Amino acid sequence: MSNALSIVIGSACILAICYRFYGIFFVRKVLGINDAETTPSHSLADGRNYVPTKKWVNAGQHFAAIAAAGPLVGPVLAAQYGYLPGLIWLLVGCVVGGAVHDTVVLFASMKHKGSSLSEVAKAELGPVAGWCTGLAMLFIITITMAGLSMVVVHALERNPWGTFAVFMTIPIAMIVGLYEKMGGNGKIATYVGLAAILASVFAGPYIQESAIGEWFTFHYNTLGVMLPIYAFLASALPVWLLLTPRGYLSSFLKIGVFAALVVGVVIINPEIKMPALTEFIHGGGPVLAGPVWPFISITIACGAISGFHAFIGSGTTPKLVDKWSDIRPVAFGMMLVECLVAVLALIAATALPMADYFAINASPEVFAKLGMTVQDLPRLEQSIGMDLAGRTGGAVTLAVGMTEIFTSIPWFKTLAAYFFQFVIMFEAVFILTAIDSGTRVARYLIQDILGDLYAPMKKINWLPGSIFASVVACLLWGYLLNSGDINSVWALFGVSNQMMASLGLTIGATIILRLSAKRIYVLTCLIPLAYLFVTVNYAGYWMIANVYLNEAAKGYNPVNAVLSMIMMTLGVIILVTAIFKWKDMLRTNRAGGNEKYLGTPAE
């Protein structure tokens, strides 16, 4: 058996070396950045959206935006195959794919004055590719909301302590937002807000045993309705009232938990109890039905390469970059940090006994067929104070694994329940923050698309239009949330996420062909694009044939099959359009040009 410390140190060294050498090569040689050029944050500075920001401050906000639940939950689910496939894909996929994707998308957006990826696609590849990219982004953000919400639902069902703690973050964030809006001291608001959140966790046992505990005890179907309703309200409220203050407070929780997990792994050095490879690498597993390839890639998703990052890299971040050289720490560097977070999540899951892992992540009926005997699960249930078996989705497994690591320190031996519920709240708040932002993004996309048919819809401040678009967005992902199991919905999320990443690499390859000093450098995008495009389309085909259109499968859902086929078709259209564009570009005498910004559609 391996130990966690050697994996963490080895992973950190690999990522640091790649940041130092490959990161510099990609940014300086491939992209040819030049700090003498003016960035959009300076040329378009307005004090609101375009604001020159110090590189490490920008890197921090970028990391907080991209590091949602994906790098925490994906590696936990992928642990079904053993610790080795997940670890290899995290390191290779992140360096070769994820870091390159995030960096080139940010670079492309900055070259187009901070435009969204759909606008960049329209300028680089033409209106058809731009429209297809915008539609694909709507599908992807909708499916992302459903996949992340399902993780929250499984973590909070029949868990009044956790539900109460998560619920209290809403009024706490709103009070903080109102206080700061009225000119209150930001530091005082931060300290009071964080103290109130911690107090909510510690009040949980008393709430759980009282009559109020009944009010916060919900089953899956009830939570499945409540989350879309909440998302509609959060999307309609001003960003300063809920989204911004809760995202700000959650960033402290994020940093604190990650740091604590690193310290815990270093001090305890837990043994990895999951084998390197399990019997389920060929498929038929209780957590994921498919084989290790292509499902290791679409399941881990965000920890290695994430299309969701394109929303951030072509959204807020490009409008804040102070110097072109800041791209390396902001985009390349923060993707590597997210990979390390995913490695820690994988360690937390694989440090559990194999039988306990499957008992938590599979339904009781499925686990009974495995013929395994749980080891520590009864003790864990007693110390945590709730049933853990059959709580699929990955969030509970991560919380249990992290609790086991923390409580191995003698001082914390009796605090298992508090650690568990704190981690559950930590995960849920992250996901809810992503749902807030994601629903708002989906609303903007819907308004933009419908605005071509009815002009007033394009006005994001037009109340009837914003309400209608918010309702449509919530109905779309709310339906997906309540129409399948974690196996099928997370796979749909993974396929859509990786499809978005392939679109980002496609546009990146086009930018490199246009601007790079050597055409051969386009391989930095084409190699991961080739793997990802084949992987995601095969995974989509596998899910359609074996799950979505298979009436005997638990995840049978023709709607998911239609969504998958639409996304795959959009991806093919965009890639074919790009290939024709690349052929035209390769016929020219030179690869690139000296344009500072490519703000007009490519001819």
Side-chain angles (χ1 to χ4, degrees):
M1 294 291 182
S2 301
N3 60 72
L5 189 57
S6 61
I7 293 177
V8 171
I9 293 176
S11 299
C13 289
I14 290 172
L15 296 174
I17 291 171
C18 291
Y19 175 74
R20 172 61 180 83
F21 294 101
Y22 190 48
I24 290 178
F25 165 76
F26 186 74
V27 171
R28 293 183 183 176
K29 298 293 185 180
V30 178
L31 301 182
I33 63 166
N34 181 2
D35 280 341
E37 294 182 10
T38 306
T39 60
S41 69
H42 286 279
S43 62
L44 301 173
D46 59 8
R48 293 177 299 172
N49 298 310
Y50 291 85
V51 181
T53 306
K54 293 180 179 179
K55 65 179 178 181
W56 292 116
V57 174
N58 195 12
Q61 75 79 26
H62 182 78
F63 176 73
I66 65 173
L72 300 176
V73 175
V76 172
L77 299 176
Q80 166 188 280
Y81 302 117
Y83 72 84
L84 189 58
L87 182 62
I88 291 175
W89 172 241
L90 280 170
L91 296 176
V92 175
C94 174
V95 173
V96 178
V100 168
H101 167 272
D102 288 14
T103 305
V104 79
V105 165
L106 178 57
F107 176 80
S109 180
M110 289 176 63
K111 282 291 182 181
H112 287 269
K113 305 180 182 180
S115 299
S116 69
L117 197 63
S118 61
E119 291 299 314
V120 176
K122 188 183 298 181
E124 288 295 325
L125 301 174
V128 173
W131 186 86
C132 288
T133 301
L135 190 58
M137 290 172 72
L138 176 59
F139 277 103
I140 289 163
I141 197 66
T142 300
I143 294 167
T144 298
M145 296 305 98
L148 296 179
S149 298
M150 186 165 286
V151 175
V152 173
V153 169
H154 282 294
L156 297 182
E157 63 174 326
R158 309 187 316 277
N159 181 9
W161 184 348
T163 304
F164 170 78
V166 172
F167 170 80
M168 287 303 297
T169 64
I170 298 174
I172 291 170
M174 293 177 72
I175 292 172
V176 169
L178 284 168
Y179 178 74
E180 292 189 332
K181 185 70 173 179
M182 293 186 296
N185 186 285
K187 288 186 177 180
I188 294 176
T190 301
Y191 296 146
V192 173
L194 291 174
I197 290 174
L198 292 175
S200 300
V201 176
F202 281 96
Y206 307 100
I207 297 296
Q208 186 171 244
E209 300 300 327
S210 69
I212 300 178
E214 293 294 323
W215 303 349
F216 290 95
T217 302
F218 301 109
H219 290 279
Y220 181 92
N221 293 335
T222 305
L223 288 168
V225 174
M226 292 173 66
L227 274 183
I229 294 175
Y230 157 78
F232 166 75
L233 296 174
S235 176
L237 290 172
V239 291
W240 58 264
L241 184 58
L242 178 60
L243 191 151
T244 302
R246 190 163 65 178
Y248 172 69
L249 293 174
S250 70
S251 65
F252 288 94
L253 299 178
K254 182 180 296 188
I255 295 170
V257 172
F258 291 162
L261 184 56
V262 171
V263 173
V265 168
V266 171
I267 295 176
I268 301 303
N269 189 18
E271 179 185 4
I272 302 299
K273 298 176 183 177
M274 188 76 75
L277 299 172
T278 69
E279 60 187 286
F280 303 114
I281 59 172
H282 303 295
V287 180
L288 303 166
V292 66
W293 184 85
F295 281 83
I296 193 69
S297 298
I298 67 167
T299 300
I300 286 181
C302 302
I305 179 170
S306 173
F308 179 74
H309 294 184
F311 290 93
I312 311 301
S314 63
T316 304
T317 303
K319 301 175 180 65
L320 304 178
V321 177
D322 183 31
K323 298 185 297 184
W324 286 94
S325 58
D326 292 352
I327 288 178
R328 185 168 73 104
V330 171
F332 203 99
M334 291 304 103
M335 181 63 233
L336 299 184
V337 174
E338 181 167 346
C339 175
L340 189 60
V341 170
V343 170
L344 292 171
L346 180 67
I347 287 172
T350 54
L352 294 173
M354 186 174 177
D356 294 359
Y357 168 85
F358 284 115
I360 298 172
N361 275 286
S363 66
E365 299 78 18
V366 173
F367 178 72
K369 298 177 182 178
L370 298 178
M372 297 180 179
T373 303
V374 296
Q375 297 182 34
D376 298 332
L377 195 61
R379 173 183 61 80
L380 291 169
E381 290 182 329
Q382 183 177 7
S383 61
I384 290 172
M386 62 180 287
D387 62 291
L388 300 173
R391 291 185 177 267
T392 58
V396 171
T397 305
L398 178 62
V400 171
M402 292 177 67
T403 300
E404 273 286 82
I405 293 174
F406 292 147
T407 54
S408 296
I409 301 174
W411 292 350
F412 301 144
K413 199 73 175 179
T414 60
L415 299 177
Y418 293 96
F419 275 117
F420 176 84
Q421 295 295 353
F422 180 79
V423 175
I424 288 293
M425 182 202 67
F426 151 77
E427 294 176 282
V429 168
F430 269 172
I431 295 173
L432 290 178
T433 301
I435 290 172
D436 295 348
S437 303
T439 303
R440 192 174 291 267
V441 170
R443 175 194 128 194
Y444 294 155
L445 288 170
I446 291 171
Q447 287 188 253
D448 190 50
I449 292 172
L450 295 181
D452 293 333
L453 304 176
Y454 184 59
M457 286 295 295
K458 282 188 177 290
K459 299 177 182 178
I460 61 175
N461 293 325
W462 185 49
L463 188 60
S466 63
I467 291 176
F468 176 76
S470 296
V471 169
V472 172
C474 293
L475 286 175
L476 288 174
W477 69 258
Y479 169 79
L480 293 176
L481 169 63
N482 291 280
S483 66
D485 61 352
I486 188 65
N487 186 330
S488 60
V489 173
W490 191 266
L492 184 64
F493 159 68
V495 168
S496 65
N497 181 283
Q498 303 294 276
M499 179 63 73
M500 186 69 203
S502 69
L503 301 184
L505 289 170
T506 300
I507 295 169
T510 309
I511 285 282
I512 290 174
L513 272 179
R514 182 183 295 279
L515 294 179
S516 187
K518 296 181 181 179
R519 286 173 172 161
I520 192 68
Y521 289 159
V522 75
L523 291 177
T524 57
C525 282
L526 290 186
I527 291 175
L529 172 60
Y531 170 82
L532 206 60
F533 198 80
V534 172
T535 298
V536 73
N537 280 280
Y538 178 68
Y541 163 77
W542 195 98
M543 288 299 297
I544 292 171
N546 294 280
V547 179
Y548 299 145
L549 296 182
N550 180 5
E551 295 186 8
K554 184 179 179 182
Y556 170 73
N557 192 322
V559 173
N560 287 357
V562 172
L563 290 175
S564 297
M565 287 186 279
I566 291 174
M567 285 190 302
M568 292 161 66
T569 302
L570 291 172
V572 170
I573 292 173
I574 295 169
L575 183 61
V576 170
T577 303
I579 289 174
F580 280 107
K581 185 64 183 178
W582 298 341
K583 288 177 64 178
D584 290 339
M585 295 171 73
L586 289 171
R587 290 194 188 104
T588 61
N589 293 326
R590 62 193 186 93
N594 295 317
E595 302 95 309
K596 291 183 179 180
Y597 297 105
L598 306 173
T600 56
E603 297 178 354

